[in-house]
Structure formats: C-alpha cells, structure tokens
Coordinates of all heavy atoms in Angstrom, one line a residue:
E1 N 8.8 -1.4 34.6 CA 10.2 -1.3 34.2 C 10.5 -2.0 32.9 O 10.0 -3.1 32.7 CB 11.1 -1.8 35.3 CG 12.6 -1.6 35.1 CD 13.4 -2.0 36.3 OE1 12.8 -2.6 37.2 OE2 14.6 -1.8 36.3
H2 N 11.3 -1.4 32.0 CA 11.7 -2.0 30.7 C 10.6 -2.1 29.7 O 10.8 -2.7 28.6 CB 12.3 -3.4 30.9 CG 13.5 -3.5 31.8 ND1 14.6 -2.7 31.6 CD2 13.7 -4.2 32.9 CE1 15.5 -2.9 32.6 NE2 15.0 -3.8 33.4
S3 N 9.5 -1.4 29.9 CA 8.3 -1.5 29.0 C 8.7 -0.8 27.7 O 8.5 -1.3 26.6 CB 7.1 -0.8 29.6 OG 6.6 -1.6 30.7
I4 N 9.2 0.4 27.8 CA 9.6 1.2 26.6 C 10.7 0.4 25.8 O 10.6 0.3 24.6 CB 10.1 2.6 27.0 CG1 8.9 3.4 27.5 CG2 10.8 3.2 25.7 CD1 7.9 3.7 26.5
E5 N 11.6 -0.2 26.5 CA 12.7 -0.9 25.8 C 12.1 -2.1 25.1 O 12.6 -2.4 23.9 CB 13.8 -1.4 26.8 CG 14.6 -0.3 27.4 CD 13.9 0.5 28.5 OE1 12.7 0.1 28.9 OE2 14.5 1.5 28.9
T6 N 11.2 -2.8 25.6 CA 10.5 -4.0 25.0 C 9.8 -3.6 23.8 O 9.8 -4.2 22.7 CB 9.6 -4.7 26.0 OG1 10.4 -5.1 27.1 CG2 8.9 -5.9 25.3
L7 N 9.0 -2.5 23.9 CA 8.2 -1.9 22.8 C 9.2 -1.5 21.7 O 8.9 -1.7 20.5 CB 7.3 -0.8 23.2 CG 6.2 -1.2 24.1 CD1 5.4 0.1 24.6 CD2 5.2 -2.1 23.3
G8 N 10.3 -0.9 22.1 CA 11.3 -0.5 21.1 C 11.9 -1.6 20.3 O 12.1 -1.6 19.1
A9 N 12.2 -2.7 21.0 CA 12.8 -3.9 20.3 C 11.7 -4.5 19.4 O 12.1 -4.9 18.2 CB 13.1 -5.0 21.4
M10 N 10.4 -4.5 19.8 CA 9.4 -5.1 18.9 C 9.3 -4.2 17.7 O 9.2 -4.7 16.5 CB 8.1 -5.2 19.6 CG 8.2 -6.2 20.8 SD 6.7 -6.2 21.8 CE 5.4 -6.6 20.6
A11 N 9.3 -2.9 17.9 CA 9.2 -2.0 16.7 C 10.4 -2.0 15.8 O 10.3 -2.0 14.6 CB 9.0 -0.5 17.3
G12 N 11.6 -2.2 16.4 CA 12.8 -2.4 15.6 C 12.7 -3.6 14.7 O 13.1 -3.5 13.5
F13 N 12.2 -4.7 15.3 CA 12.2 -5.9 14.5 C 11.1 -5.8 13.4 O 11.2 -6.3 12.3 CB 11.9 -7.1 15.4 CG 12.0 -8.5 14.7 CD1 13.2 -9.0 14.4 CD2 10.8 -9.2 14.3 CE1 13.4 -10.2 13.7 CE2 10.9 -10.4 13.6 CZ 12.2 -10.9 13.3
S14 N 10.0 -5.1 13.7 CA 9.0 -4.8 12.7 C 9.5 -4.0 11.5 O 9.2 -4.2 10.4 CB 7.8 -4.0 13.4 OG 7.2 -4.7 14.4
C15 N 10.5 -3.1 11.8 CA 11.2 -2.3 10.7 C 11.9 -3.3 9.8 O 11.9 -3.1 8.6 CB 12.2 -1.3 11.4 SG 11.4 0.2 11.9
L16 N 12.6 -4.3 10.4 CA 13.3 -5.2 9.6 C 12.4 -6.0 8.7 O 12.7 -6.2 7.5 CB 14.1 -6.2 10.5 CG 15.1 -5.6 11.5 CD1 15.9 -6.8 12.2 CD2 16.0 -4.6 10.9
L17 N 11.3 -6.4 9.2 CA 10.3 -7.2 8.4 C 9.7 -6.3 7.3 O 9.7 -6.8 6.1 CB 9.2 -7.7 9.3 CG 9.5 -8.8 10.3 CD1 8.3 -9.1 11.2 CD2 10.0 -10.1 9.6
L18 N 9.4 -5.1 7.6 CA 8.8 -4.2 6.5 C 9.8 -3.9 5.4 O 9.5 -3.9 4.2 CB 8.3 -2.9 7.2 CG 7.1 -3.1 8.0 CD1 6.8 -1.7 8.8 CD2 5.8 -3.4 7.2
W19 N 11.1 -3.7 5.9 CA 12.1 -3.5 4.9 C 12.4 -4.7 4.0 O 12.5 -4.6 2.8 CB 13.4 -3.1 5.6 CG 14.6 -2.9 4.7 CD1 14.8 -1.9 3.8 CD2 15.8 -3.7 4.6 NE1 16.0 -2.1 3.1 CE2 16.6 -3.2 3.7 CE3 16.2 -4.9 5.3 CZ2 17.9 -3.7 3.3 CZ3 17.4 -5.4 5.0 CH2 18.3 -4.8 4.0
A20 N 12.4 -5.9 4.6 CA 12.6 -7.1 3.8 C 11.5 -7.4 2.9 O 11.7 -7.7 1.7 CB 12.8 -8.3 4.8
L21 N 10.2 -7.1 3.3 CA 9.1 -7.4 2.4 C 8.9 -6.4 1.3 O 8.2 -6.6 0.4 CB 7.8 -7.5 3.3 CG 7.8 -8.7 4.2 CD1 6.5 -8.5 5.1 CD2 7.7 -10.0 3.4
S22 N 9.6 -5.3 1.4 CA 9.4 -4.2 0.3 C 10.5 -4.4 -0.8 O 10.6 -3.5 -1.6 CB 9.6 -2.8 1.0 OG 10.9 -2.7 1.5
A23 N 11.3 -5.5 -0.8 CA 12.3 -5.7 -1.8 C 11.6 -5.8 -3.2 O 10.5 -6.5 -3.3 CB 13.1 -6.9 -1.5
K24 N 12.2 -5.3 -4.2 CA 11.7 -5.4 -5.6 C 12.4 -6.4 -6.5 O 12.0 -6.7 -7.6 CB 11.7 -4.0 -6.2 CG 10.9 -3.0 -5.5 CD 9.4 -3.4 -5.5 CE 8.5 -2.3 -4.9 NZ 8.8 -2.1 -3.5
S25 N 13.6 -6.8 -6.0 CA 14.4 -7.8 -6.8 C 15.3 -8.5 -5.9 O 15.3 -8.3 -4.7 CB 15.2 -7.0 -7.9 OG 16.3 -6.3 -7.4
D26 N 16.2 -9.4 -6.5 CA 17.1 -10.2 -5.7 C 18.5 -9.8 -5.9 O 19.5 -10.5 -5.7 CB 16.9 -11.7 -6.0 CG 17.2 -12.0 -7.5 OD1 17.4 -11.0 -8.3 OD2 17.3 -13.2 -7.8
R27 N 18.7 -8.5 -6.4 CA 20.1 -8.0 -6.7 C 20.8 -7.6 -5.4 O 20.2 -7.4 -4.4 CB 20.0 -6.8 -7.6 CG 19.4 -7.2 -9.0 CD 19.2 -5.9 -9.8 NE 18.5 -6.2 -11.0 CZ 17.8 -5.4 -11.8 NH1 17.6 -4.2 -11.3 NH2 17.2 -5.7 -12.9
Y28 N 22.1 -7.4 -5.6 CA 22.9 -6.9 -4.5 C 22.5 -5.6 -4.0 O 22.5 -5.2 -2.8 CB 24.4 -6.8 -5.0 CG 25.3 -5.9 -4.2 CD1 25.9 -6.4 -3.0 CD2 25.6 -4.6 -4.6 CE1 26.7 -5.5 -2.2 CE2 26.4 -3.8 -3.9 CZ 26.9 -4.2 -2.6 OH 27.7 -3.4 -1.9
S29 N 22.1 -4.7 -4.9 CA 21.6 -3.4 -4.6 C 20.4 -3.3 -3.7 O 20.3 -2.4 -2.9 CB 21.3 -2.6 -5.9 OG 20.2 -3.2 -6.6
E30 N 19.6 -4.4 -3.7 CA 18.5 -4.4 -2.8 C 18.9 -4.4 -1.3 O 18.2 -4.0 -0.4 CB 17.6 -5.7 -3.0 CG 16.8 -5.6 -4.3 CD 15.6 -4.6 -4.1 OE1 15.1 -4.5 -3.0 OE2 15.3 -4.0 -5.1
L31 N 20.1 -5.0 -1.0 CA 20.6 -5.0 0.3 C 21.3 -3.7 0.8 O 21.2 -3.4 1.9 CB 21.7 -6.1 0.5 CG 21.2 -7.6 0.8 CD1 22.3 -8.5 0.7 CD2 20.5 -7.6 2.1
T32 N 21.9 -3.0 -0.2 CA 22.8 -1.9 0.2 C 22.3 -0.5 -0.1 O 22.9 0.5 0.1 CB 24.2 -2.1 -0.5 OG1 24.0 -2.1 -1.9 CG2 24.8 -3.4 0.0
R33 N 21.1 -0.5 -0.7 CA 20.5 0.9 -1.1 C 19.1 1.0 -0.7 O 18.4 0.0 -0.3 CB 20.6 1.1 -2.6 CG 19.7 0.2 -3.4 CD 19.7 0.5 -4.9 NE 19.4 1.8 -5.2 CZ 19.2 2.3 -6.5 NH1 19.4 1.4 -7.5 NH2 18.8 3.5 -6.7
E34 N 18.6 2.3 -0.7 CA 17.2 2.5 -0.4 C 16.3 2.0 -1.5 O 16.8 1.7 -2.6 CB 17.0 4.1 -0.2 CG 17.9 4.7 0.8 CD 17.9 6.2 0.6 OE1 17.4 6.7 -0.4 OE2 18.6 6.9 1.5
N35 N 15.0 2.0 -1.3 CA 14.1 1.5 -2.3 C 14.1 2.5 -3.5 O 14.3 3.7 -3.4 CB 12.7 1.5 -1.7 CG 12.5 0.1 -1.0 OD1 13.4 -0.3 -0.4 ND2 11.3 -0.4 -1.1
D36 N 13.8 1.9 -4.7 CA 13.7 2.7 -5.9 C 12.5 3.6 -6.0 O 12.3 4.4 -6.9 CB 13.8 1.9 -7.2 CG 15.3 1.5 -7.5 OD1 16.2 2.3 -7.1 OD2 15.5 0.5 -8.1
N37 N 11.5 3.2 -5.1 CA 10.2 3.9 -5.2 C 9.5 3.7 -6.5 O 9.1 4.7 -7.2 CB 10.4 5.4 -4.9 CG 9.9 5.8 -3.5 OD1 9.4 4.9 -2.8 ND2 10.0 7.0 -3.2
E38 N 9.3 2.5 -7.0 CA 8.6 2.2 -8.2 C 7.1 2.3 -8.0 O 6.4 2.5 -8.9 CB 9.0 0.8 -8.7 CG 10.4 0.7 -9.2 CD 10.9 -0.7 -9.1 OE1 10.3 -1.5 -8.3 OE2 12.0 -1.0 -9.6
L39 N 6.7 2.3 -6.7 CA 5.3 2.5 -6.4 C 5.0 4.1 -6.6 O 5.9 4.8 -6.7 CB 5.0 2.1 -5.0 CG 5.2 0.6 -4.7 CD1 5.1 0.3 -3.2 CD2 4.1 -0.2 -5.4
P40 N 3.7 4.4 -6.7 CA 3.4 5.8 -6.8 C 4.1 6.7 -5.7 O 4.0 6.3 -4.6 CB 1.9 5.9 -6.6 CG 1.4 4.5 -7.1 CD 2.5 3.6 -6.7
K41 N 4.8 7.7 -6.1 CA 5.6 8.5 -5.2 C 4.8 9.3 -4.2 O 3.8 9.9 -4.5 CB 6.6 9.4 -5.9 CG 7.7 8.6 -6.7 CD 8.6 9.5 -7.3 CE 9.7 8.7 -8.1 NZ 10.7 9.6 -8.7
H42 N 5.3 9.3 -2.9 CA 4.7 10.1 -1.9 C 5.8 10.3 -0.8 O 6.5 9.3 -0.5 CB 3.5 9.5 -1.3 CG 2.7 10.4 -0.4 ND1 3.1 10.9 0.8 CD2 1.5 11.0 -0.6 CE1 2.3 11.8 1.3 NE2 1.2 11.9 0.5
W43 N 5.9 11.5 -0.3 CA 7.0 11.7 0.6 C 6.9 10.9 1.9 O 8.0 10.6 2.5 CB 7.2 13.2 0.8 CG 6.1 13.9 1.6 CD1 4.9 14.4 1.0 CD2 6.0 14.1 3.0 NE1 4.2 15.0 2.0 CE2 4.8 14.8 3.2 CE3 6.8 13.9 4.1 CZ2 4.4 15.2 4.5 CZ3 6.4 14.3 5.3 CH2 5.3 14.9 5.5
L44 N 5.8 10.6 2.4 CA 5.6 9.8 3.6 C 6.1 8.4 3.3 O 6.7 7.8 4.2 CB 4.2 9.8 4.1 CG 3.7 11.1 4.8 CD1 2.2 10.9 5.1 CD2 4.5 11.3 6.0
R45 N 5.8 7.9 2.1 CA 6.3 6.5 1.8 C 7.9 6.5 1.7 O 8.5 5.6 2.2 CB 5.8 6.1 0.4 CG 6.3 4.7 0.0 CD 5.7 4.2 -1.3 NE 4.3 4.0 -1.1 CZ 3.3 4.5 -1.8 NH1 3.6 5.5 -2.7 NH2 2.1 4.3 -1.7
K46 N 8.5 7.6 1.2 CA 9.9 7.8 1.2 C 10.5 7.8 2.6 O 11.5 7.2 2.9 CB 10.3 9.0 0.4 CG 11.8 9.2 0.1 CD 12.4 8.1 -0.7 CE 13.8 8.4 -1.0 NZ 14.5 7.2 -1.6
V47 N 9.9 8.5 3.5 CA 10.3 8.6 4.9 C 10.3 7.2 5.5 O 11.3 6.8 6.1 CB 9.4 9.5 5.7 CG1 9.6 9.3 7.2 CG2 9.5 10.9 5.3
A48 N 9.2 6.4 5.3 CA 9.1 5.1 5.8 C 10.2 4.2 5.2 O 10.9 3.4 6.0 CB 7.7 4.5 5.6

C-alpha cells in the first residue's frame, strides 16, 4: 500500500532538482519560463 504514491513523490522531487540544476543564469526569467535550450537541440531534451 502507498508504494506508487511514495515513488511518485520521489520522482516529483527529482524533477525539482533536475529543473533547478538546469538553470543557465540568475535572472527572474529562469524562474518563470522554460529553458532556452542553449545546449544542442533535441526534441526529447525539450520534453524533459
């Protein structure tokens, strides 16, 4: 019981960490917009 919910919480927090670590600057826009994709473009990276 609650296994899926626990895994979902861990995965959700992992999303926050990956999003935070992918920041490219310290501007306001880093908080409120998607990534600029300055890395080589690929649609799977954009999905992530």
